[in-house]
Amino acid sequence: MSLLDLYQRSLRDHRGKPALEVDVAGASRLFTFGELDVRSDRMAALLRSRGLAAGDRLALLLPNRLAVLDLWLACVKCGVIVVPINILYTAREIAHIVADADPRAVVTGADRLAELPDGVAAWDVDLLEADASDHGDEVSAIDARADTPAALIYTSGTTGASKGAILTHGNFAANALQLLEAWEITGADRYLAALPLFHVHGLGNGVQCWLASGCHMKLVERFERERVADWFEQYQPTLFFGVPTMYHRLLEVPDAQARRIGASMRLFVSGSAPLPAQTLEDFEARFGHRILERYGMTETLMNVSNPLNGERRAGTVGFPLPRTAVEIRREDGTRVSPEETGELWVRGPNVCAGYWRRPEATVASIVHGWFRTGDLGCHDVEGRITLHGRRSEVIISGGFNIYPREIEELLLQQPGIREAAVVGVPDRARGELPVAYCVSEAALDAAALEAALRGDLASFKVPRRYIRVDTLPRTALGKVQRHLLPAPDA
């Protein structure tokens, strides 16, 4: 199935149905599915007039706004591959993705144009929207198939080398259909979208479930702790996807308001980072809803979910989703017994087509159709899965991946730093926070280190503490044994 097939019922069969509430030029606007279809037709015609063809890449360095949805639908219709870029990234991080994906252009705001690499075509999003509004809407959609690439979503491994996961029409469609089935999402739902659309959580789950189900969506630019309670009360959503940090902030809502919010809600879903058991229990007591925790990743979208109807057990991520197979295997590839820890392997139509221009990484990760996640976990006798950490050393903070190697390499460029290791430490609000351990010639100047790193790293990647150590614990082969580093408060 292509995404055009999946969207048909909403965009064409329910053209007059209210679809989207979003701020435009400071005022709230309401759009029907038919209006969004026409808008994206015009944008698609404009992209083609600018020379984009099926298979070309178009990068989006944009916050949540109407243009992101127009461009997503237009690219799907044209066969253009979308490359979302995290808006928190610095010029150095942006340059890597642009060089690797080789997009025909990068669409961004006027205030970000100077951050793009020299020589790349840069399109001002406001000018692009204005041009599209005056453009004709005659466009013939491509003959897309399930294996047609739709997006390159950049992730990374333990080496820190950022890789683009090739997600196809079939990946997005299969993921949306299994979520609609598992979580009983219908056209009657109202979805409050506060997740960033440059992230697979917001784009791959939220947007696709909205378009597949034909429900109503309110899109906000970003999660704002001061405004989110009012959004809930005024919009009265039934559906919310968030990360643990968002739920931690929602616990600040007064009790009476929390009860009113819970009265209109149907389902709260959490992912992208582990949900603390205490947050789960506190949230249920305040809002009257037990958050549904699930497990997925960029390369496979959603894999596992706690049940919609049934026990949502704290600390577990539940059972494999429909049409997704999950096995937990030992190092030799054999399947583990109940309660035995191993690596999660995933197979299904949700698994990506591989890594962009990385054949070696693709072969290493996808074995006979099974994707090796690098995540460790176990299952009980009922098949319920609990995660035990990651074979890789990725830190997940506020739903964003942080790759220690990238930070360590920058630390080693600083005067006096001989060795460096970055690890994640638990944090109730963000899940984990990065902490740096450094072997240095003299005492560490934390302020100077932070100032140096902030120029090259997104804010969420900057270590929260810098700890001087005499040596880094290593194996006989020289690998750092991170688990033997002293506790930050030691």
Side-chain angles (χ1 to χ4, degrees), residues 329-346:
R329 301 188 182 186
R330 305 181 183 93
E331 281 289 340
D332 61 7
T334 57
R335 295 165 68 174
V336 301
S337 302
E339 309 303 339
E340 179 185 356
T341 297
E343 180 183 4
L344 276 70
W345 291 42
V346 177

Side-chain angles (χ1 to χ4, degrees), residues 13-281:
D13 297 347
H14 296 296
R15 298 184 66 81
K17 182 179 179 181
L20 174 69
E21 180 182 328
V22 63
D23 281 351
V24 179
S28 182
R29 291 275 307 276
L30 183 64
F31 296 89
T32 66
F33 281 112
E35 289 171 327
L36 294 175
D37 192 30
V38 171
R39 288 180 62 91
S40 58
D41 278 349
R42 289 174 176 165
M43 184 65 78
L46 176 60
L47 296 183
R48 284 181 173 166
S49 74
R50 294 194 176 193
L52 270 74
D56 288 339
R57 276 77 61 206
L58 182 67
L60 309 182
L61 180 62
L62 296 169
N64 288 3
R65 56 181 289 173
L66 178 59
V68 178
L69 302 175
D70 289 338
L71 284 162
W72 172 261
L73 288 169
C75 288
V76 167
K77 292 175 178 181
C78 292
V80 172
I81 302 171
V82 175
V83 185
I85 302 177
N86 190 325
I87 62 170
L88 300 180
Y89 280 176
T90 64
R92 183 186 66 86
E93 296 160 311
I94 294 166
H96 169 73
I97 293 177
V98 170
D100 192 71
D102 190 22
R104 290 290 301 274
V106 180
V107 181
T108 191
D111 59 328
R112 304 294 301 265
L113 294 174
E115 299 176 51
L116 301 182
D118 292 339
V120 66
W123 295 349
D124 184 314
V125 64
D126 293 322
L127 297 179
L128 193 71
E129 282 187 304
D131 287 349
S133 66
D134 295 330
H135 213 280
D137 58 5
E138 292 295 325
V139 61
S140 56
I142 64 162
D143 183 20
R145 302 180 306 183
D147 60 358
T148 300
L152 296 183
I153 311 291
Y154 274 77
T155 182
S156 189
T158 56
T159 63
S162 185
K163 304 183 292 291
I166 306 169
L167 293 175
T168 66
H169 280 241
N171 294 151
F172 283 113
N175 182 71
L177 290 172
Q178 68 177 4
L179 294 186
L180 264 57
E181 178 181 342
W183 300 341
E184 297 181 7
I185 300 172
T186 71
D189 276 306
R190 293 171 63 82
Y191 169 52
L192 176 59
L195 291 164
L197 300 187
F198 57 73
H199 194 282
V200 73
H201 193 166
L203 178 65
N205 295 344
V207 168
Q208 306 312 313
C209 286
W210 164 57
L211 290 169
S213 68
C215 71
H216 194 283
M217 179 171 78
K218 176 180 175 65
L219 178 68
V220 297
E221 182 176 340
R222 62 186 179 277
F223 182 90
E224 297 182 49
R225 59 192 296 182
E226 299 83 4
R227 302 177 64 190
V228 66
D230 290 337
W231 289 335
F232 270 101
E233 286 216 85
Q234 293 164 12
Y235 180 62
Q236 294 194 321
T238 61
L239 187 63
F240 182 75
F241 297 166
V243 298
T245 303
M246 294 179 178
Y247 290 111
H248 182 73
R249 297 306 182 197
L250 281 169
L251 290 175
E252 300 170 1
V253 173
D255 287 345
Q257 195 171 22
R259 287 193 295 272
R260 291 197 300 270
I261 290 170
S264 64
M265 279 293 297
R266 184 177 70 83
L267 180 63
F268 291 96
V269 180
S270 181
S272 296
L275 181 69
Q278 190 63 53
T279 300
L280 180 76
E281 302 299 339

